[in-house]
């Protein structure tokens, strides 16, 4: 059936069928309650300015507000919504039925899905800092028959309903830190699901509360529009060569001229000497590298590049939109593009520039082999209040934020 002749119901059914199939391909199982919610809520009612075909694309977010060229509000891609709802359902003991949920970042669609999941005895409150966004969410929720969702316009950096506790807080904007208000509003053993910038990558972390601490239950790579208001944090880009940039997520200082001088030196490349099947997932490798770079006292940065710089051979990053890199005075080293062999298997590599390039690439490929040899360990994130003494932290790589101390540990799966 062509897009031109397909009606909304057909497109809706096809979208959910695709999401279920994609879950299975990733080795995930979609909970029946999540699938039922996705089939119940008509997504096009929350994207009224988009064509039906766009509203029901499983892999596409629909931008609902821009400021200049920047998207500041959107209805997230269905695949990501489905995975985050699955994280929440898996992390909340006993499932979401009857639970009380706070959503931070409002588009309406996710709130409607949550309303289906919590059922008649549960509740959903959704909050956004932008009055235009909350007015739009209210209108869409009412049109879709979900007028019992409470919509609040406020900066969620502060408590939304002081004194009230929620079983689940789910954040649908990109965050850099965990403000105390979020932990305080969680019930004991409650779950926070949040897209969190962590060592250069945004991941949706599902975390459970124990006292004043949060410990992750699962994580997924993702991307979201950035947090606004008091919780906003500027990501800085430093130009180090024509078409090559370093992305700095933390309060870091980089001498762009010194890095440019390193990049001007010949590129050295080394290989780990492994053969991995095409479906090998490398997302956790990047966190492993980030932790090892940090623990070694080097500066962890993220290398980004325009396609022209890659085509010209200036750099050869694994992913030009963001590749983990180690920086010191003698070398800039980063994970490089893959090397494929005749059996459709691939090898891992590292590139470096600078007087210590050979040693730097040797260290990085050694870290890659160590990750594989240790069973590709899964990351666990611990979030503790700022000011927690070092002696009270779990063993791992520490990243200090404004309100929190993050500790990343990597354990065998």
């Amino acid at each position: 059936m062509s897009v031109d002749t397909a009606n909304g119901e057909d497109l809706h059914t096809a979208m959910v069928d695709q999401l279920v199939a994609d879950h299975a391909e990733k080795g995930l199982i979609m909970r029946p309650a999540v699938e039922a919610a996705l089939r119940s809520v008509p997504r096009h009612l929350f994207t009224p300015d988009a064509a039906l075909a766009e509203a029901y694309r499983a892999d596409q977010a629909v931008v609902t507000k821009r400021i200049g060229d920047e998207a500041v509000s959107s209805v997230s891609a269905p695949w990501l919504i489905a995975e985050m709802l699955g994280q929440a359902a898996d992390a909340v003991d006993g499932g979401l039925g009857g639970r009380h949920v706070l959503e931070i970042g409002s588009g309406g669609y996710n709130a409607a899905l949550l309303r289906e999941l919590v059922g008649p005895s549960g509740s959903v409150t959704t909050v956004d800092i932008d009055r235009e966004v909350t007015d739009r969410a209210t209108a869409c929720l009412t049109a879709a028959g979900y007028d019992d969702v409470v919509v609040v316009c406020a900066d969620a950096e502060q408590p939304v309903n002081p004194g009230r506790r929620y079983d689940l807080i789910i954040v649908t904007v990109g965050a850099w830190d965990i403000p105390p208000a979020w932990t305080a509003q969680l019930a004991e053993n409650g779950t926070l699901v949040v897209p969190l910038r962590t060592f250069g990558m945004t991941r949706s972390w599902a975390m459970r509360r124990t006292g004043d601490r949060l410990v992750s239950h699962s994580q997924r790579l993702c991307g979201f529009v950035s947090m606004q208001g008091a919780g906003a944090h500027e990501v800085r880009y430093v130009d180090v060569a024509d078409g090559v940039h370093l992305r700095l997520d933390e309060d870091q200082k980089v001498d762009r001229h010194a890095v440019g001088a390193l990049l001007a030196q010949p590129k050295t490349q080394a290989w780990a000497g492994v053969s991995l099947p095409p479906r090998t997932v490398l997302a956790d490798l990047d966190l492993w590298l980030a932790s090892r770079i940090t623990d070694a006292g080097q500066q962890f940065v993220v290398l980004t590049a325009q396609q022209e710089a890659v085509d010209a051979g200036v750099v050869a990053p694994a992913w030009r939109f963001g590749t983990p890199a180690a920086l010191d005075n003698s070398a800039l080293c980063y994970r490089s593009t893959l090397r494929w062999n005749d059996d459709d298997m691939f090898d891992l590599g590292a590139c470096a520039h600078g007087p210590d390039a050979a040693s730097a690439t040797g260290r990085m490929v050694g870290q890659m082999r160590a990750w594989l040899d240790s069973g590709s360990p899964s990351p666990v994130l611990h979030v503790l209040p700022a000011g927690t003494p070092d002696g009270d932290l779990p063993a791992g790589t520490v990243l200090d934020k404004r309100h929190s101390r993050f500790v990343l540990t990597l354990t065998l799966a």
Side-chain angles (χ1 to χ4, degrees):
M1 182 182 297
S2 71
V3 169
D4 291 334
T5 58
N7 59 35
E9 184 176 341
D10 293 333
L11 290 168
H12 187 176
T13 298
M15 179 193 78
V16 182
D17 289 346
Q18 183 65 53
L19 292 173
V20 173
D22 290 347
H23 263 61
E25 188 174 349
K26 294 177 183 178
L28 305 173
I29 298 175
M30 185 179 290
R31 285 198 172 211
V34 173
E35 181 181 346
L38 288 164
R39 294 194 185 280
S40 296
V41 179
R43 189 169 189 260
H44 70 277
L45 295 182
F46 298 89
T47 60
D49 297 328
L52 281 175
E54 184 182 3
Y56 287 110
R57 280 192 58 176
D59 61 349
Q60 181 172 298
V62 176
V63 175
T64 55
K65 183 176 180 179
R66 294 182 185 273
I67 296 179
D69 294 332
E70 182 183 4
V72 296
S73 184
S74 67
V75 177
S76 301
W79 73 265
L80 179 52
I81 289 175
E83 289 199 11
M84 289 180 70
L85 291 176
Q87 284 184 279
D90 289 341
V92 175
D93 290 335
L96 293 175
R99 303 296 184 174
H100 302 287
V101 179
L102 173 64
E103 180 195 36
I104 296 172
S106 186
Y109 178 58
N110 195 58
L113 294 169
L114 287 164
R115 192 69 193 87
E116 291 283 343
L117 286 165
V118 300
S121 59
S123 69
V124 176
T125 299
T126 183
V127 59
D128 198 280
I129 196 172
D130 189 329
R131 173 65 66 183
E132 183 179 338
V133 171
T134 54
D135 286 349
R136 184 181 178 283
T138 297
C140 291
L141 285 162
T142 299
Y146 296 95
D147 52 6
D148 57 349
V149 172
V150 178
V151 182
V152 178
C153 183
D155 187 339
E157 184 84 354
Q158 304 301 322
V160 177
N161 291 304
R164 182 170 183 186
R165 296 285 185 91
Y166 296 91
D167 303 298
L168 168 67
I169 297 176
I170 186 165
V171 184
T172 57
V173 288
W176 179 78
D177 195 3
I178 305 294
W182 296 0
T183 305
Q185 289 176 105
L186 271 181
E188 185 67 14
N189 297 318
T191 296
L192 171 67
V193 180
V194 53
L196 194 61
R197 176 72 67 180
T198 317
F199 292 97
M201 291 147 273
T202 297
R203 292 170 184 251
S204 172
W205 295 92
M207 297 184 282
R208 287 178 175 158
R209 175 188 175 183
T210 301
D212 62 357
R213 305 182 178 205
L214 301 164
V215 181
S216 68
H217 180 270
S218 66
Q219 49 84 26
R220 305 274 190 277
L221 279 175
C222 66
F224 275 88
V225 298
S226 298
M227 183 80 65
Q228 301 178 53
H233 182 79
E234 181 182 4
V235 175
R236 295 183 296 125
Y237 287 84
V238 178
D239 298 336
V240 293
D242 190 16
V244 183
H245 322 278
L246 298 185
R247 192 177 72 218
L248 308 178
D249 294 316
E250 309 302 327
D251 185 17
Q252 298 163 273
K253 292 180 172 58
V254 168
D255 184 335
R256 61 182 296 268
H257 300 291
V259 179
L262 291 175
L263 275 174
Q265 299 191 41
K267 179 172 57 185
T268 297
Q269 190 161 26
W271 299 98
V274 297
S275 293
L276 302 176
R279 297 181 66 82
T280 303
V281 177
L282 299 176
D284 292 347
L285 170 60
D286 285 351
L287 276 186
W288 173 276
L289 292 176
S291 68
R292 295 306 182 264
I293 290 166
T294 302
D295 292 346
Q298 296 174 295
Q299 186 164 195
F300 169 75
V301 294
V302 177
L303 178 75
T304 68
Q306 297 175 6
Q307 188 61 52
E308 293 80 4
V310 175
D311 292 342
V314 179
V315 289
W319 191 48
R320 70 181 186 88
F321 297 105
T323 295
L327 174 64
D328 57 29
N329 293 330
S330 59
L332 172 68
C333 184
Y334 55 89
R335 188 161 74 82
S336 70
T337 52
L338 307 177
R339 180 171 67 177
W340 293 87
N341 61 31
D342 294 337
D343 297 324
D344 288 331
M345 305 286 274
F346 68 87
D347 193 2
L348 299 171
C351 286
H353 306 253
D356 195 35
S359 296
T361 55
R363 287 192 297 270
M364 184 167 282
V365 297
Q367 292 160 352
M368 294 171 180
R369 287 192 292 265
W371 179 72
L372 292 168
D373 291 343
S374 60
S376 307
S378 300
V380 176
L381 185 67
H382 306 254
V383 179
L384 301 92
T388 301
D390 289 350
D392 292 341
L393 300 178
T397 302
V398 179
L399 184 61
D400 285 312
K401 302 279 187 170
R402 183 185 307 138
H403 301 298
S404 314
R405 305 196 75 184
F406 291 2
V407 182
L408 179 69
T409 63
L410 291 111
T411 57
L412 294 178

